[in-house]
Amino acid sequence: MTARLTVLQLLPALDQGGVEQSTLEITQALVAAGHRALVASRGGAMVPAVEAAGGEHVALDIGRKSLGSLRHTYVLRRLIVRESVDIVHARSRLPAWLGWLALRGLRGHTRPPHFVTTVHGLNSPGRYSAVMTRGERVICVSATVRAYVMRHYPDLDESRLRVVPRGIQTDQFALAPGAAAALRGQVHARHPALSGRRVLALPARATRLKGHRDAIALVAELADGGRDVALWLAGADDPLRARYVDELRARIQAFDVADRVAITPPTADRAALYAASDVVLQLSRQPEAFGRTVIEALAAGRPVLGYAHGGVGELLAAHYPAGMIAVGDRGELRTRAERLLDESAPLEVSGTLPSLAAMQQATLDVYTELAR
């Protein structure tokens, strides 16, 4: 049996997001396995969840890009020694630099901690991003990320790479028909544009690369073809991106679909999002590292139409090839959407969707492999 480990995860903040969610999930797995979980970050909305899971949060602003952040190297070094940390796991570039520099100062230490990194995104290649390849083990969240890392850092020893796909608790999304219908009714009642219509949902933050413009054009084309459809831009209503949201509203007006589109803030109730939808869209023009939306929607029994590149294309190829669309091919997007809206047979998903339990265990395996 592996001895009790103390693992310190480093990230900029604990707000909502994929990196933050993974940090929480590994905290839960560490504590459940009898290990000790420390998390250093600026803080944020997810700190209570980390602490409720049994993790210990250390408030440290290690995500601010300024020379002043270098002082945190010494704070981290003292923390690592004081808490007898066995593994430092960096999940973002600046925290990784600070963690790596802190560990360099412990080279003469009797038993310096191991260094692990997770590449969560397709970061711009270069010296700054290269720190994410300095882990004794470099966890890649998809085969897409692994290929990207090896393409840009060909001298990296491949034996240090581990592909650990992000996973979900599928039972959170696979609702009984009655429960799904009740949620759908509640959501449609809150958003009249969706009420009584077939709903295409694009769950994505308000950024230009996420494909909102293509989704708006799609619902307009479907409506012009006589279909009573609506579009739900779930997560696009962001006051920090007001100019972009105004652009979307202008496009909606130009296509004359204002009564068919709901723009809402991000929601933590993903099960309700999928229950209220008939087709889920993933139309990012830029390749993504993973594509959690794809597996969540498929677990909920909802078909996904997505541009076939990056992590989204990887997941669709493995689990739902019928949803793969060439990037930017709006004609094929409309044809496939019409086909899915007419489809009455139950959704068929290939293979086993990546699970949260598998992701947690694979990450713990990386830790114990190093700690032997």
Side-chain angles (χ1 to χ4, degrees):
M1 180 178 175
T2 304
R4 185 174 189 254
L5 299 175
T6 296
V7 177
L8 171 63
Q9 297 183 81
L10 307 178
L11 71 162
L14 274 168
D15 299 312
Q16 297 292 335
V19 174
E20 294 84 349
Q21 183 64 32
S22 292
T23 301
L24 171 60
E25 291 163 350
I26 295 308
T27 295
Q28 293 167 335
L30 284 165
V31 173
H35 301 301
R36 186 180 178 208
L38 305 178
V39 178
S41 82
R42 183 183 71 237
M46 292 181 70
V47 170
V50 165
E51 294 178 337
E56 303 169 50
H57 182 256
V58 180
L60 200 57
D61 192 1
I62 52 176
R64 187 184 300 276
K65 294 179 180 178
S66 72
L67 288 175
S69 293
L70 289 173
R71 70 183 186 279
H72 296 310
T73 298
Y74 308 102
V75 180
L76 278 174
R77 190 175 300 151
R78 290 196 299 270
L79 173 68
I80 289 165
V81 172
R82 184 179 70 245
E83 303 298 337
S84 300
V85 171
D86 298 293
I87 292 171
V88 175
H89 185 169
R91 295 185 173 277
S92 184
R93 289 174 291 177
L94 182 54
W97 274 110
L98 298 177
W100 181 74
L101 290 170
L103 292 175
R104 284 189 70 189
L106 294 174
R107 283 180 174 172
H109 200 262
T110 306
R111 189 174 174 275
H114 297 284
F115 188 47
V116 174
T117 56
T118 290
V119 185
H120 285 273
L122 305 178
N123 299 318
S124 301
R127 294 186 64 184
Y128 181 61
S129 296
V131 69
M132 302 307 294
T133 69
R134 295 192 179 188
E136 294 170 67
R137 294 294 180 270
V138 178
I139 297 174
C140 302
V141 300
S142 65
T144 294
V145 169
R146 186 190 189 282
Y148 184 87
V149 168
M150 287 309 305
R151 182 163 68 251
H152 293 289
Y153 306 99
D155 295 333
L156 177 63
D157 181 356
E158 291 187 57
S159 68
R160 289 159 47 202
L161 299 177
R162 298 289 183 273
V163 176
V164 180
R166 306 299 86 184
I168 62 168
Q169 286 183 273
T170 54
D171 58 357
Q172 289 186 348
F173 303 99
L175 303 178
L183 281 176
R184 183 183 182 93
Q186 293 169 17
V187 171
H188 286 206
R190 290 197 301 269
H191 306 299
L194 309 180
S195 183
R197 290 176 165 144
R198 308 296 300 281
V199 175
L200 290 80
L202 193 153
R205 66 186 186 276
T207 182
R208 205 171 299 280
L209 297 173
K210 288 295 186 178
H212 299 100
R213 294 172 63 85
D214 287 357
I216 293 166
L218 171 63
V219 78
E221 291 164 1
L222 292 172
D224 287 345
R227 294 178 183 272
D228 194 13
V229 293
L231 174 64
W232 186 7
L233 300 180
D237 188 5
D238 182 353
L240 297 179
R241 301 298 306 277
R243 180 177 298 179
Y244 176 63
V245 177
D246 286 344
E247 287 180 22
L248 294 182
R249 294 190 189 282
R251 185 172 177 83
I252 289 165
Q253 291 289 344
F255 276 93
D256 195 24
V257 289
D259 63 332
R260 296 179 180 273
V261 181
I263 304 179
T264 65
T267 175
D269 192 351
R270 308 285 285 186
L273 191 160
Y274 301 121
S277 306
D278 295 286
V279 177
V280 176
L281 305 174
Q282 236 292 4
L283 304 179
S284 297
R285 288 297 186 113
Q286 180 173 295
E288 298 200 356
F290 186 58
R292 185 186 292 262
T293 297
V294 173
I295 54 174
E296 288 179 348
L298 293 177
R302 297 297 183 262
V304 181
L305 290 177
Y307 288 151
H309 59 167
V312 170
E314 180 183 329
L315 289 169
L316 287 172
H319 303 294
Y320 190 64
M324 299 174 68
I325 308 292
V327 179
D329 189 341
R330 283 176 34 188
E332 182 63 15
L333 178 63
R334 175 181 175 175
T335 299
R336 295 282 186 94
E338 290 174 334
R339 190 179 305 162
L340 289 177
L341 290 169
D342 292 338
E343 182 64 64
S344 58
L347 183 72
E348 292 188 9
V349 176
S350 304
T352 302
L353 297 175
S355 73
L356 172 60
M359 184 273 282
Q360 290 172 318
Q361 187 57 56
T363 305
L364 294 189
D365 289 346
V366 171
Y367 296 156
T368 55
E369 174 189 356
L370 289 173
R372 289 193 184 105

